[in-house]
Coordinates of all heavy atoms in Angstrom, one line a residue:
R310 N 100.4 101.0 69.3 CA 99.6 100.4 68.3 C 98.1 100.3 68.7 O 97.3 99.9 67.9 CB 100.2 99.1 67.9 CG 101.5 99.2 67.1 CD 102.1 97.9 66.9 NE 102.6 97.3 68.1 CZ 103.2 96.0 68.2 NH1 103.3 95.3 67.1 NH2 103.6 95.6 69.3
L311 N 97.8 100.5 70.0 CA 96.5 100.2 70.5 C 95.9 101.5 71.1 O 94.7 101.5 71.5 CB 96.5 99.2 71.7 CG 97.1 97.8 71.3 CD1 97.2 97.0 72.6 CD2 96.3 97.1 70.3
D312 N 96.6 102.6 71.1 CA 96.1 103.8 71.8 C 94.9 104.5 71.2 O 94.3 105.4 71.8 CB 97.2 104.8 72.2 CG 97.8 105.4 71.0 OD1 97.3 105.2 69.9 OD2 98.8 106.2 71.2
H313 N 94.6 104.1 70.0 CA 93.4 104.6 69.4 C 92.1 103.8 69.9 O 91.0 104.2 69.6 CB 93.4 104.6 67.9 CG 93.6 103.2 67.3 ND1 94.7 102.4 67.5 CD2 92.8 102.4 66.5 CE1 94.6 101.3 66.9 NE2 93.4 101.2 66.3
R314 N 92.4 102.7 70.5 CA 91.3 101.8 71.0 C 91.2 101.6 72.5 O 90.2 101.4 73.2 CB 91.3 100.5 70.3 CG 91.1 100.5 68.8 CD 91.0 99.1 68.2 NE 92.3 98.6 68.0 CZ 92.7 97.4 68.5 NH1 91.9 96.7 69.3 NH2 93.9 96.9 68.3
W315 N 92.4 101.7 73.1 CA 92.6 101.4 74.6 C 93.0 102.6 75.3 O 93.8 103.4 74.8 CB 93.6 100.2 74.8 CG 93.1 98.9 74.5 CD1 93.1 98.3 73.3 CD2 92.5 98.0 75.4 NE1 92.5 97.1 73.3 CE2 92.1 96.8 74.6 CE3 92.2 98.0 76.7 CZ2 91.5 95.7 75.3 CZ3 91.6 96.9 77.3 CH2 91.3 95.8 76.6
N316 N 92.5 102.7 76.5 CA 93.0 103.8 77.5 C 92.9 103.2 78.9 O 92.4 102.1 79.1 CB 92.2 105.0 77.3 CG 90.7 104.9 77.5 OD1 90.2 104.0 78.1 ND2 89.9 105.9 77.0
L317 N 93.2 104.0 79.9 CA 93.2 103.5 81.3 C 91.8 103.1 81.7 O 91.7 102.1 82.3 CB 93.7 104.6 82.2 CG 93.7 104.3 83.7 CD1 94.5 103.1 84.0 CD2 94.2 105.5 84.5
E318 N 90.8 103.8 81.3 CA 89.5 103.5 81.7 C 89.0 102.2 81.1 O 88.4 101.4 81.8 CB 88.4 104.6 81.3 CG 88.6 105.9 82.0 CD 89.8 106.7 81.7 OE1 90.4 106.5 80.6 OE2 90.3 107.5 82.5
R319 N 89.4 101.9 79.9 CA 89.0 100.6 79.3 C 89.8 99.5 80.0 O 89.2 98.4 80.2 CB 89.3 100.6 77.8 CG 88.8 99.3 77.1 CD 89.0 99.3 75.7 NE 88.6 98.0 75.1 CZ 88.7 97.7 73.8 NH1 89.2 98.5 72.9 NH2 88.3 96.5 73.4
L320 N 91.0 99.7 80.3 CA 91.8 98.7 81.0 C 91.1 98.3 82.4 O 90.9 97.2 82.6 CB 93.2 99.2 81.3 CG 94.2 99.4 80.1 CD1 95.4 100.1 80.5 CD2 94.5 98.0 79.5
E321 N 90.7 99.3 83.1 CA 90.1 99.1 84.4 C 88.7 98.4 84.2 O 88.5 97.4 85.0 CB 90.0 100.4 85.2 CG 91.3 101.0 85.6 CD 91.2 102.2 86.4 OE1 90.1 102.8 86.4 OE2 92.1 102.6 87.1
R322 N 88.0 98.9 83.3 CA 86.6 98.2 83.1 C 86.8 96.8 82.7 O 86.0 95.9 83.2 CB 85.9 99.0 82.0 CG 85.2 100.3 82.5 CD 84.1 100.7 81.5 NE 84.6 100.8 80.1 CZ 85.1 101.9 79.6 NH1 85.3 103.0 80.3 NH2 85.6 101.9 78.4
T323 N 87.8 96.5 81.9 CA 88.0 95.1 81.4 C 88.3 94.1 82.5 O 87.7 93.1 82.7 CB 89.1 95.1 80.4 OG1 88.7 95.9 79.2 CG2 89.3 93.7 79.8
V324 N 89.3 94.6 83.4 CA 89.6 93.7 84.4 C 88.5 93.5 85.5 O 88.3 92.4 86.1 CB 91.0 94.1 85.1 CG1 92.1 93.9 84.2 CG2 90.9 95.5 85.6
M325 N 87.8 94.6 85.7 CA 86.6 94.5 86.7 C 85.5 93.6 86.1 O 85.0 92.8 86.8 CB 86.1 95.9 86.9 CG 87.0 96.8 87.8 SD 87.2 96.2 89.5 CE 88.7 95.2 89.3
Q326 N 85.3 93.6 84.8 CA 84.3 92.7 84.2 C 84.8 91.3 84.2 O 84.0 90.4 84.6 CB 84.1 93.1 82.7 CG 83.0 92.3 82.0 CD 82.8 92.7 80.6 OE1 83.1 93.8 80.2 NE2 82.0 92.0 79.9
L327 N 86.1 91.0 83.9 CA 86.6 89.7 84.0 C 86.5 89.1 85.4 O 86.2 88.0 85.6 CB 88.1 89.7 83.5 CG 88.3 90.0 82.0 CD1 89.8 90.1 81.7 CD2 87.8 88.7 81.2
A328 N 86.8 89.9 86.4 CA 86.7 89.5 87.8 C 85.3 89.2 88.2 O 85.0 88.3 88.9 CB 87.4 90.5 88.7
A329 N 84.4 90.1 87.8 CA 82.9 89.9 88.1 C 82.4 88.6 87.5 O 81.5 88.0 88.0 CB 82.1 91.1 87.6
E330 N 83.0 88.3 86.3 CA 82.6 87.0 85.7 C 83.4 85.8 86.1 O 83.2 84.7 85.5 CB 82.7 87.2 84.1 CG 81.8 88.3 83.6 CD 82.0 88.6 82.1 OE1 83.1 88.1 81.6 OE2 81.3 89.4 81.5
D331 N 84.2 86.0 87.1 CA 85.1 84.9 87.7 C 86.0 84.3 86.7 O 86.5 83.2 86.8 CB 84.2 83.7 88.2 CG 83.3 84.2 89.4 OD1 83.9 85.0 90.2 OD2 82.2 83.7 89.6
K332 N 86.4 85.1 85.7 CA 87.4 84.6 84.7 C 88.8 85.0 85.2 O 89.8 84.4 84.7 CB 87.1 85.4 83.3 CG 85.8 84.9 82.7 CD 85.6 85.6 81.4 CE 84.3 85.1 80.7 NZ 84.0 85.9 79.5
V333 N 88.9 85.9 86.1 CA 90.1 86.3 86.8 C 89.9 86.3 88.3 O 89.0 86.9 88.7 CB 90.8 87.6 86.3 CG1 91.9 88.0 87.2 CG2 91.1 87.6 84.8
E334 N 90.7 85.6 89.0 CA 90.5 85.6 90.5 C 91.3 86.7 91.2 O 92.6 86.7 91.0 CB 90.8 84.2 91.0 CG 89.9 83.1 90.6 CD 90.2 81.8 91.3 OE1 90.0 81.7 92.5 OE2 90.7 80.8 90.6

Side-chain angles (χ1 to χ4, degrees):
R310 288 173 293 179
L311 302 176
D312 66 2
H313 62 295
R314 294 186 280 123
W315 283 86
N316 57 21
L317 177 57
E318 289 73 24
R319 184 178 179 184
L320 291 170
E321 292 183 342
R322 280 198 307 272
T323 298
V324 291
M325 290 294 92
Q326 182 177 347
L327 289 171
E330 295 172 353
D331 296 324
K332 294 178 180 177
V333 172
E334 295 187 66

